[in-house]
């Protein structure tokens, strides 16, 4: 209780490992509207219309989303992905990629039947880590969605086009195989691709090399908050005039023995092996840890001026964002949610959005004991009236995709705004009474979103992260130009 009442941040412990005490999406191609537009929210605290703070009006600085691409446990098509979410289908099952029989957790949101045909040539495809393959396919599909597939890339200035796709863990399979070859066969058996395909920036680099994009190019690795940091940084490159267009998001492929074993060692995973599809159950009293997932989620972001000039299909507008740090513990969240709540407030300020405009939250909600409630506490600090807010958890169906989580959930949030349907949080059997939100339990709901918000923070119950690692908090905010706003946190 003292932590909940503490007026200031606590000092970090000297030992960071020791716990401190306490349907197709809508596409709009149009000129700037000359009349007020109706706004819809992804996070909302009240049905009362409240005038928002001042928003950016300069079309050179306004950032829009014109394309979305993904690789997921439900396939590589955005509409199919969201249809599966709306139906409440679980993508969690027993791992069959390797023998997991000796692990205490033997299930995950493993991607099956993935193919890169038409996007990566066969020779390179055989060499690449899945983390890189997912990135390239998702990136190219996002460009196709933005009407920039194939020869249409000639429409844009490639010197002012960049790539910022991050990953939490990088090419983990390539790294693991290289270490194994070193131990068993000696250094001569290490592939020359060991270093290039293991480092975290190579997804962005390969995509830029193949497409000829010469603008800003790097990666950000902030564990589960990775994708959102990338969106934030990409938008700022555009706002500062350093780029016209950016491909941004996250990719991850960690469902291999060393990845699973590492999270098992952290004691962070659910062990509901007898019923994997019900294992990821955010805000349920019986939750026992998160479920690993994998994939990639990527957005094409560009200035409004640039998008309108080329007649792009405008899906949503990025309004703003914020980043900060709990400065509290390596893995545990602050119980009072202070770091997260202040990050939410800063993102709303940057976006020019008032809390009352928000009526939908796609939460970070990883199904960990401490993390789920810490996030709820933070949200309650900012949004005082919870009666009109819908809050859901994509991870209940696809698992925690680590560095790709924010990307896949941003796409789900934009689809909620554009379709008017909010996907369910499945496995809501015995909900925590303190949540006090409509969690869209087990069945989809029709919901006119005013402003949408996606949370990707960084905390977990015992040893990993909800969207980072107990350290990073990140919030970004989107809106649909004609219908609604999307706030991605």
């Amino acid at each position: 209780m003292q932590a909940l009442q503490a007026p200031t941040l606590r000092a970090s412990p000297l030992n960071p490992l020791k716990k401190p005490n306490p349907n197709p999406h809508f596409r709009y191609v149009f000129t700037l509207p000359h009349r007020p537009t109706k706004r819809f929210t992804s996070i909302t605290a009240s049905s009362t219309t409240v005038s928002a703070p001042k928003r950016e009006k300069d079309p050179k600085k306004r950032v829009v989303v014109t394309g979305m691409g993904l690789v997921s446990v439900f396939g590589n098509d955005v509409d199919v992905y969201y249809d599966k979410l709306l139906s409440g289908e679980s993508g969690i099952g027993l791992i069959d990629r390797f023998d997991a029989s000796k692990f205490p957790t033997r299930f995950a949101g493993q991607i099956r039947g993935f193919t890169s045909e038409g996007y990566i040539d066969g020779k390179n495809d055989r060499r690449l880590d899945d983390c890189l393959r997912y990135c390239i396919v998702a990136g190219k599909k996002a460009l196709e969605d933005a009407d920039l597939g194939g020869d249409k890339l000639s429409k844009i200035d490639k010197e002012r086009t960049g790539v910022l796709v991050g990953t939490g863990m990088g090419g983990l399979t390539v790294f693991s195989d290289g270490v194994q070859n070193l131990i068993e066969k000696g250094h001569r058996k290490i592939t020359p691709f060991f270093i290039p395909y293991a480092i975290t920036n190579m997804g962005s680099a390969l995509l830029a090399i193949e497409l000829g994009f010469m603008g800003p190019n790097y990666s950000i690795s902030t564990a589960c908050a990775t994708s959102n940091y990338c969106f934030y940084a990409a938008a700022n490159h555009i706002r500062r005039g350093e780029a016209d267009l950016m491909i941004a998001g996250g990719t991850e492929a960690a469902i291999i023995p060393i990845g699973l074993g590492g999270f098992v060692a952290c004691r962070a995973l659910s062990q509901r092996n007898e019923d994997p599809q019900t294992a990821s159950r955010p805000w349920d009293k019986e939750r026992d840890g998160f479920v690993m997932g994998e994939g990639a989620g990527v957005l094409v972001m560009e200035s409004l001026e640039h998008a309108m000039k080329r007649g792009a299909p405008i899906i949503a507008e990025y309004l703003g964002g914020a980043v900060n740090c709990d400065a509290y513990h390596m893995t545990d969240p602050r119980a009072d949610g202070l770091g997260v709540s202040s990050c939410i407030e800063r993102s709303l300020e940057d976006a020019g959005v008032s809390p009352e405009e928000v009526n939908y939250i796609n939460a970070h909600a990883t199904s960990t004991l401490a993390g789920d409630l810490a996030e709820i506490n933070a949200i309650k600090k900012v949004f005082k009236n919870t009666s009109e807010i819908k809050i859901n958890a994509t991870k209940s169906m696809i698992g925690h995709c680590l560095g790709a989580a924010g990307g896949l959930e941003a796409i789900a949030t934009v689809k909620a705004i554009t379709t008017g349907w909010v996907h369910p949080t499945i496995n809501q059997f015995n909900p925590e009474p303190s949540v006090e939100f409509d969690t869209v339990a087990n069945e989809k709901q029709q919901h006119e979103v005013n402003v949408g918000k996606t949370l990707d923070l960084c905390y977990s119950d015992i040893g990993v992260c909800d969207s980072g690692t107990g350290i990073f908090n990140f919030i970004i905010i989107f809106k649909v130009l004609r219908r609604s706003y999307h706030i991605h946190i």
Side-chain angles (χ1 to χ4, degrees), residues 32 82 123 138 200 253 267 287 331 356 450 460 477:
L32 274 170
Y82 199 62
K123 183 177 181 180
T200 60
R267 297 178 296 164
R287 65 193 184 281
T331 58
E356 292 80 8
N450 300 325
S460 87
I477 300 170

Side-chain angles (χ1 to χ4, degrees), residues 442-461:
N442 303 317
E443 294 286 341
K444 67 180 181 182
Q445 294 183 23
Q446 196 164 11
H447 186 55
E448 190 175 58
V449 178
N450 300 325
V451 177
K453 190 172 192 172
T454 307
L455 306 177
D456 273 297
L457 322 169
C458 333
Y459 45 67
S460 87
D461 185 26

Side-chain angles (χ1 to χ4, degrees), residues 266-282:
C266 291
R267 297 178 296 164
L269 300 180
S270 169
Q271 298 185 18
R272 208 175 295 273
N273 294 296
E274 71 285 354
D275 193 8
Q277 293 191 339
T278 68
S280 185
R281 48 177 71 190

Side-chain angles (χ1 to χ4, degrees), residues 401-460:
C401 298
L402 310 174
L408 289 163
E409 289 159 20
I411 291 172
T413 306
V414 171
K415 291 295 288 182
I417 296 170
T418 59
T419 64
W421 284 94
V422 178
H423 75 66
T425 304
I426 66 169
N427 302 324
Q428 300 290 279
F429 306 116
N430 189 13
E432 290 276 7
S434 62
V435 173
E436 298 177 358
F437 289 93
D438 180 352
T439 61
V440 196
N442 303 317
E443 294 286 341
K444 67 180 181 182
Q445 294 183 23
Q446 196 164 11
H447 186 55
E448 190 175 58
V449 178
N450 300 325
V451 177
K453 190 172 192 172
T454 307
L455 306 177
D456 273 297
L457 322 169
C458 333
Y459 45 67
S460 87

